[in-house]
């Protein structure tokens, strides 16, 4: 058995360690979401936590880890008699990003259920994680329906498996820990809210601390057992402190003063619902128990707010999580302290992070400064020479709700909310023989396939004789997410301040729509002498929004270069993810300048997309009383359609609700 990196040997990351330890003391806190850049010990700290948890008493032979003191009366392996039992270490179960629904919740043997009427159930990862830790690395990349199942089980403390009228229920209470890199895409706000606490982690910028990280990692890699032995005493101390805090937890008093502070803080930060209040109360109580106190103090409430509220304040995917600490302090002061007025509470023998032996960070991650827009030159309407006339970035106008743009036909890509697709979830449209394991039984088709063979199979009783060949998989139609590739004209002809602001607002609105519909996005821009991939295809819509905000404008309009670069991006992405269908959104006024025959060259580049059958839409940004209609002509070359900025709005009187591409049958 491999030796894990000791929890107490993790350098810095105090908030991360504290959040994990509080959940170890009180699993009712609701788990931890760890957000941060790659290489910041997120996974290392989570895996190390399992070694600190006390051993778990279980009923021998029970696949669902029932507690012998109070076994689950509905356990599929039960009933169990109370008393007796054995102890085993607490488990840490990892949920892979590509796991199936059956692997998560378990699977029923449909064939035996139909023919014998028995509930033959194979437990999933939720059963394995009962009374332990369930760890999801890159939780933001997990399919939405799996996240829903996971969080429902965490909230209810039980998992339900339903298959064609046959159901199984078992207990599933676990410490849920998810890690994610925000650069790869965000979780939906309603899913963020289901995690009790969240912490932001970043690599230290302090050289001495970074040196210590490297030293410890190299020492661990050279001899894991010897390295773990060096930290055994600290590990034992933290393990004992967790046990003591668990025993003290029921005695901790949450006074009316602390409750008023919690309620006032949640109201001041306009947090939706009541889950934040409850999580803050549980976290503050766990903090007091961790510090060895029986009263919740104002400092506990403040720390609980810093852990429980930042991710609940996001109103859209482009909002950065965070909390105004000055406002927090003012609210806590205004509504008084806890029932204990001690201004300097004892945080415990090792400080709030516990463990001991870790250097404290001397600096905090520095945020990006605001980029102020510089004064811009006015638009003169004439092509500008290469390298001249570059204007600073302007801010986008307010986003709006856009019309639905979809890819025609039926795809088989990743689940989402944009275009029609064959999916595992959706309305049933037919049946087929299963390819591999059966996941969604089509009962009527299965009975119809088995019925003609009953006499030949010697059926004598009421049961239906079902063979493997009779089983039919339901085919379902739902929605898929697409690759939405934005190709944005940033040339001088688009550079008037108000005009570019409106264009950016439209693209930002489409990005918000892409976020809600679970799309991948990419951003190609063209101006001056060429085209750039401002953002390769990614699930991080907010990264695309950040690149858009800093986009400069000016220079010639190399339209052909932009189209050719976009075509190359799609070619590479098709090799990486062939099932995900692309949707090209070209934002331009249709003008092309620079080089020999720029208009003809742009037309030839556009016809490449039509030849590949790529769905496309041209957002026509031409303005003024006299319009040349160049964007409409370009849309014809692309084999797509053109819409104006006004028509893009969902409340537009133009009534544009159609596919982005119409082709003759």
């Amino acid at each position: 058995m491999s030796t894990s990196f000791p929890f107490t040997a993790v350098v810095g990351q105090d908030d991360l360690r504290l959040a994990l330890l509080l959940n170890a003391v009180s699993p009712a806190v609701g788990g931890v979401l760890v957000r941060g850049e790659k290489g910041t010990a997120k996974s290392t700290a989570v895996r190390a936590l399992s070694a600190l948890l006390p051993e778990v008493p279980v009923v021998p032979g029970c696949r669902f880890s029932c507690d012998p003191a109070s076994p689950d009366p509905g356990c599929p392996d039960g009933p169990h008699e109370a008393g007796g039992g054995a102890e085993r270490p607490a488990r840490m179960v990892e949920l892979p990003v590509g796991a199936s629904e059956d692997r998560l919740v378990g699977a029923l043997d449909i064939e035996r259920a139909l023919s014998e009427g028995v509930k033959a159930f194979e437990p999933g990862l939720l059963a394995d994680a009962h009374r332990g830790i369930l760890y999801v690395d890159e939780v933001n990349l997990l399919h939405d329906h799996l996240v829903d199942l996971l969080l429902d089980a965490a909230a209810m403390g039980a998992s339900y498996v339903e298959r064609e009228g046959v159901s199984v229920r078992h207990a599933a209470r676990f410490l849920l820990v998810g890690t994610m890199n925000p650069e790869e895409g965000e979780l939906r706000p309603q899913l963020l809210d289901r995690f009790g606490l969240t912490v932001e982690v970043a690599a230290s910028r302090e050289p001495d601390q970074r040196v210590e990280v490297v030293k410890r990692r190299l020492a661990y890699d050279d001899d894991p057992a010897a390295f773990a032995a060096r930290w055994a005493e600290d590990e034992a101390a933290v393990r004992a402190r967790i046990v003591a805090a668990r025993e003290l937890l029921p005695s901790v008093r949450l006074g009316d003063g602390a409750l008023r502070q919690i309620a006032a803080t949640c109201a001041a930060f306009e947090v939706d619902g009541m889950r934040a209040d409850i999580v803050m109360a549980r976290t503050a109580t766990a903090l007091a128990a961790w510090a060895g106190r029986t009263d919740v103090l104002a400092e506990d409430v403040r720390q609980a707010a810093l852990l429980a509220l930042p991710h609940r304040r996001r109103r859209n995917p482009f909002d950065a999580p965070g909390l105004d600490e000055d406002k927090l302090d003012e609210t806590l002061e205004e509504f008084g302290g806890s029932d204990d007025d001690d201004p300097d509470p004892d945080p415990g023998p090792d400080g709030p992070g516990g463990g001991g032996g870790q250097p404290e960070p001397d600096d905090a991650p520095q945020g990006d400064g605001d980029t102020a827009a510089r004064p811009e030159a006015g638009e003169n309407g004439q092509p500008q020479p290469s390298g001249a006339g570059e204007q600073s970035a302007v801010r986008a106008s307010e986003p709006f709700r856009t019309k639905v743009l979809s890819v025609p036909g039926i795809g088989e890509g990743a689940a989402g909310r944009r275009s029609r697709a064959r999916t595992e979830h959706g309305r049933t449209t037919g049946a087929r023989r299963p390819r591999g394991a059966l996941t969604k039984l089509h009962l009527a088709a299965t009975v119809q396939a088995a019925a003609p063979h009953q006499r030949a199979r010697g059926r004598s009783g009421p049961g239906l004789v079902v063979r493997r060949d009779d089983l039919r998989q339901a085919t379902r139609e739902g929605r898929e997410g697409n690759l939405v590739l934005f190709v944005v004209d940033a040339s001088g002809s688009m550079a008037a301040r108000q005009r570019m602001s409106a264009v950016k607002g439209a693209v930002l609105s489409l990005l918000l729509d892409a976020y809600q519909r679970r799309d991948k996005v990419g951003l190609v821009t063209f101006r001056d002498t060429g085209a750039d991939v401002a953002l390769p295809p990614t699930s991080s819509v907010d990264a695309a929004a950040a690149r858009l905000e800093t986009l400069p404008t000016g220079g010639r309009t190399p339209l052909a270069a932009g189209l050719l670069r976009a075509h190359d991006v799609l070619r590479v992405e098709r090799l990486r993810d062939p099932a995900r269908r692309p949707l090209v959104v070209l934002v331009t006024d249709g003008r092309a300048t620079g080089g020999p025959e720029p208009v003809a060259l742009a037309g030839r580049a556009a016809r490449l997309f039509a030849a590949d059958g790529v769905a496309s839409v041209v957002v026509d940004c031409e303005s003024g009383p006299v319009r040349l209609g160049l964007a409409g002509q370009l849309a014809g070359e692309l084999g797509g359609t053109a819409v104006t900025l006004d028509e893009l709005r969902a409340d537009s009187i133009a009534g544009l609700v159609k596919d982005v591409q119409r082709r003759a049958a």
Side-chain angles (χ1 to χ4, degrees):
M1 183 176 178
S2 60
T3 303
S4 62
F5 194 92
F7 185 85
T8 51
V10 174
V11 178
Q13 308 296 11
D14 294 337
D15 286 345
L16 170 58
R17 292 184 289 120
L18 177 59
L20 292 171
L21 289 169
L22 292 178
N23 274 271
V25 171
S26 176
V29 166
V32 187
L33 176 65
V34 187
R35 297 164 43 91
E37 59 196 27
K38 53 187 175 292
T40 50
K42 300 188 299 292
S43 300
T44 299
V46 175
R47 293 188 176 98
L49 178 67
S50 60
L52 296 179
L53 298 181
E55 290 194 335
V56 179
V58 296
V59 174
C62 177
R63 297 175 297 167
F64 302 89
S65 302
C66 279
D67 186 347
S70 57
D72 180 9
C75 176
D77 284 355
H80 304 299
E81 294 184 2
E87 289 192 345
R88 62 161 176 78
R91 291 175 180 158
M92 194 200 73
V93 177
E94 294 193 44
L95 173 61
V97 169
S100 65
E101 181 179 335
D102 286 346
R103 184 71 187 98
L104 176 62
V105 301
L108 289 170
D109 189 331
I110 300 296
E111 187 174 353
R112 290 189 64 191
L114 288 176
S115 59
E116 303 175 28
V118 298
K119 298 179 182 179
F121 181 67
E122 183 65 29
L125 295 176
L126 291 181
D128 293 341
H130 180 45
R131 305 175 68 200
I133 300 173
L134 183 61
Y135 172 50
V136 189
D137 194 13
E138 307 295 353
V139 65
N140 51 323
L141 303 183
L142 200 65
H143 287 307
D144 284 348
H145 72 281
L146 292 182
V147 176
D148 290 336
L149 290 170
L150 181 65
L151 295 178
D152 284 344
M156 297 185 296
S159 174
Y160 295 84
V161 184
E162 303 284 346
R163 292 288 190 277
E164 302 297 338
V166 181
S167 63
V168 171
R169 174 219 165 268
H170 65 82
R173 292 184 296 276
F174 47 81
L175 167 56
L176 176 63
V177 182
T179 58
M180 60 175 282
N181 184 348
E183 294 178 357
E184 297 172 339
E186 288 286 355
L187 275 174
R188 289 178 284 163
Q190 58 268 43
L191 297 182
L192 281 172
D193 184 56
R194 299 293 290 273
F195 281 93
L197 309 179
T198 186
V199 292
E200 297 278 340
V201 296
S204 173
R205 301 299 185 257
E206 172 59 42
D208 290 342
Q209 197 169 87
R210 296 175 73 97
V211 167
E212 185 64 24
V213 169
V214 174
K215 284 183 177 179
R216 294 187 187 184
R217 186 70 219 188
L218 293 177
Y220 171 77
D221 290 341
D222 288 343
D223 192 343
F227 184 80
R230 286 172 46 196
W231 295 90
E233 185 175 343
D234 290 326
E235 294 280 287
V238 174
R239 190 179 299 111
R241 190 173 172 188
I242 292 173
V243 173
R246 284 186 174 186
E247 294 174 351
L248 183 62
L249 187 65
S251 302
V252 175
R253 186 173 66 92
L254 183 65
D256 289 343
L259 282 172
R260 281 193 300 271
Q261 284 188 315
I262 290 171
T265 301
C266 292
F269 286 101
E270 300 179 352
V271 176
D272 295 334
M274 295 298 298
R275 183 176 283 117
D277 303 62
I278 296 170
V279 171
M280 273 191 66
R282 290 171 173 166
T283 305
T285 303
L287 280 162
W290 179 246
R293 291 184 270 100
T294 56
D295 286 309
V296 173
L297 304 180
E299 182 61 27
D300 300 325
V301 175
R302 186 183 192 279
Q303 183 66 63
L306 293 174
L307 293 172
L309 295 188
H311 61 302
R312 293 185 163 88
R313 298 193 62 245
R314 299 188 72 196
R315 291 295 183 265
N316 66 64
F318 310 133
D319 291 338
L323 212 62
D324 184 340
E325 294 194 32
D326 291 337
K327 181 177 179 181
L328 173 61
D329 291 335
E330 291 173 4
T331 303
L332 294 175
E333 183 177 355
E334 178 182 354
F335 286 87
S338 66
D339 295 341
D340 188 337
D341 293 329
D342 183 3
D344 186 22
D346 180 11
D350 296 320
Q358 298 91 334
E360 296 295 325
D362 295 326
D363 60 332
Q366 299 298 317
D368 295 330
D370 291 333
T371 303
R374 297 187 298 273
E376 300 183 75
E379 182 182 29
N380 58 21
Q382 301 298 322
Q384 300 180 22
S386 174
E390 178 173 323
Q391 301 180 18
S392 60
V394 300
R395 293 189 178 276
S397 62
E398 285 298 315
F400 51 84
R401 190 165 63 91
T402 65
K403 295 290 187 183
V404 179
L405 305 176
S406 62
V407 179
I410 300 179
E412 294 183 344
R417 295 185 177 182
R418 182 171 298 279
S419 305
R420 294 173 58 199
R422 297 181 184 92
T423 62
E424 287 293 316
H425 298 270
R427 63 185 182 91
T428 300
T429 58
R432 60 172 174 81
R433 292 181 181 272
R435 302 166 190 160
L438 178 71
T439 55
K440 300 291 182 182
L441 178 73
H442 194 297
L443 182 59
T446 298
V447 172
Q448 187 176 9
H453 308 291
Q454 296 305 295
R455 181 175 296 179
R457 294 173 182 173
R459 174 186 171 187
S460 59
L464 190 67
V465 181
V466 179
R467 303 278 173 82
R468 176 70 186 175
D469 290 343
D470 301 327
L471 299 179
R472 295 294 183 270
Q473 176 85 21
T475 57
R476 302 191 175 195
E477 183 177 307
R479 295 281 171 176
E480 68 177 0
N482 298 113
L483 166 60
V484 182
L485 181 61
F486 294 93
V487 186
V488 180
D489 183 349
S491 64
S493 65
M494 300 279 288
R497 186 178 185 86
Q498 291 184 346
R499 187 180 182 191
M500 198 61 197
S501 178
V503 168
K504 285 189 176 183
V507 178
L508 192 66
S509 302
L510 290 166
L511 283 170
L512 182 58
D513 181 69
Y515 167 81
Q516 294 168 341
R517 298 185 186 279
R518 315 292 179 262
D519 296 316
K520 290 180 71 174
V521 297
L523 179 62
V524 173
T525 64
F526 58 94
R527 58 174 292 273
D528 203 4
T529 60
D532 296 310
V533 181
L535 184 72
T538 176
S539 297
S540 181
V541 175
D542 51 343
R547 302 290 173 86
L548 178 72
E549 185 173 347
T550 58
L551 177 66
T553 58
R556 298 182 184 275
T557 310
L559 178 56
L563 291 172
L564 291 173
R565 179 59 62 90
H567 187 269
D568 188 56
V569 169
L570 293 185
R571 179 184 59 80
V572 174
E573 192 64 19
R574 193 177 295 117
L575 297 175
R576 294 174 177 169
D577 190 358
R580 189 181 290 268
R581 297 187 294 164
L583 169 62
V584 173
V585 179
L586 175 59
V587 184
T588 182
D589 57 8
R591 298 181 185 182
T593 60
E597 299 183 343
V599 176
L601 187 59
R604 289 196 294 271
R607 288 192 287 275
L608 293 175
F609 291 86
D612 290 343
V614 176
S616 57
V617 60
V618 178
V619 179
D620 185 358
C621 302
E622 193 174 22
S623 62
V626 179
R627 303 197 179 200
L628 302 179
L630 298 176
Q633 297 174 24
L634 183 60
E637 300 278 8
L638 286 164
T641 192
V643 299
T644 65
L645 289 175
D646 289 337
E647 289 174 333
L648 195 60
R649 293 178 177 270
D651 54 359
S652 168
I653 60 174
L656 177 69
V657 182
K658 59 183 179 180
D659 284 345
V660 299
Q661 187 180 24
R662 299 294 189 188
R663 293 188 176 90

